[in-house]
Amino acid sequence: MSKNSRGTAIIEFVIVMPLFFLMLFGMLYGGIMLHDYNGLNELTRAAARAGAIEQTDDSNKEDEENTESPTKKVARVKKFITDNGNNYLLLYAVDNDAVSVKDDEQINGEDAIQVVVSATRTEDIPLIVVDLMPQTISSSMSMRIEK
């Protein structure tokens, strides 16, 4: 290789490498964001499932209408999200104030529970790509209550 061709290779390297690393880190953080979005969907589904399963008090077996109060159900769903939120997410964290639980929904005429969870980005990584990621992601799930 002559001196001129070595200089050309270095110039091409300097031009191409930043674009290559931008694409590489963009795919990396895009994958992490999709992981967190799918994790939030799974957390919301699992929380709705936890709220949809009717918890009864076995101490009073003679009472047929021995069902859980809506307040306890909402508290149980929020506790599930608080306890398990970090297991599902990497760059985002669930804010307990951003959890909404409604147990007065209807699906095909049957009682249902709706859970809405929002998570905010907690990791600020100094890359241009991260600023393209949304600050808040949310998920909603409705599930029929099993009795």
Side-chain angles (χ1 to χ4, degrees):
M1 282 178 93
S2 69
K3 288 184 178 183
N4 290 340
S5 62
R6 277 191 292 170
T8 304
I10 290 174
I11 297 296
E12 290 174 356
F13 178 79
V14 168
I15 292 171
V16 171
M17 286 314 290
L19 297 173
F20 172 75
F21 282 120
L22 184 65
M23 287 176 35
L24 179 70
F25 287 117
M27 288 188 295
L28 177 70
Y29 287 111
I32 291 172
M33 188 192 75
L34 287 175
H35 173 272
D36 280 356
Y37 183 72
N38 287 334
L40 185 65
N41 283 337
E42 178 61 22
L43 175 65
T44 306
R45 187 210 57 79
R49 177 75 179 144
I53 297 173
E54 196 71 33
Q55 300 287 322
T56 58
D57 182 15
D58 291 336
S59 65
N60 192 4
K61 292 184 180 181
E62 65 272 357
D63 186 10
E64 288 293 323
E65 292 297 321
N66 191 11
T67 60
E68 183 180 29
S69 72
T71 307
K72 285 184 181 179
K73 187 179 299 185
V74 169
R76 189 175 75 244
V77 170
K78 288 189 175 190
K79 182 177 182 336
F80 180 88
I81 292 171
T82 302
D83 292 346
N84 297 301
N86 292 333
N87 297 337
Y88 290 91
L89 304 173
L90 296 174
L91 292 179
Y92 290 83
V94 175
D95 183 12
N96 291 334
D97 296 332
V99 175
S100 169
V101 180
K102 296 179 187 175
D103 64 342
D104 57 353
E105 298 290 316
Q106 293 282 318
I107 296 177
N108 295 332
E110 296 187 29
D111 292 338
I113 188 167
Q114 180 186 29
V115 179
V116 179
V117 181
S118 295
T120 56
R121 193 174 74 212
T122 58
E123 299 294 326
D124 285 332
I125 301 168
L127 288 175
I128 297 169
V129 176
V130 177
D131 291 334
L132 300 175
M133 295 170 62
Q135 189 67 28
T136 303
I137 56 176
S138 63
S139 178
S140 173
M141 176 66 66
S142 294
M143 194 169 286
R144 184 181 56 85
I145 295 176
E146 298 179 13
K147 296 181 182 180

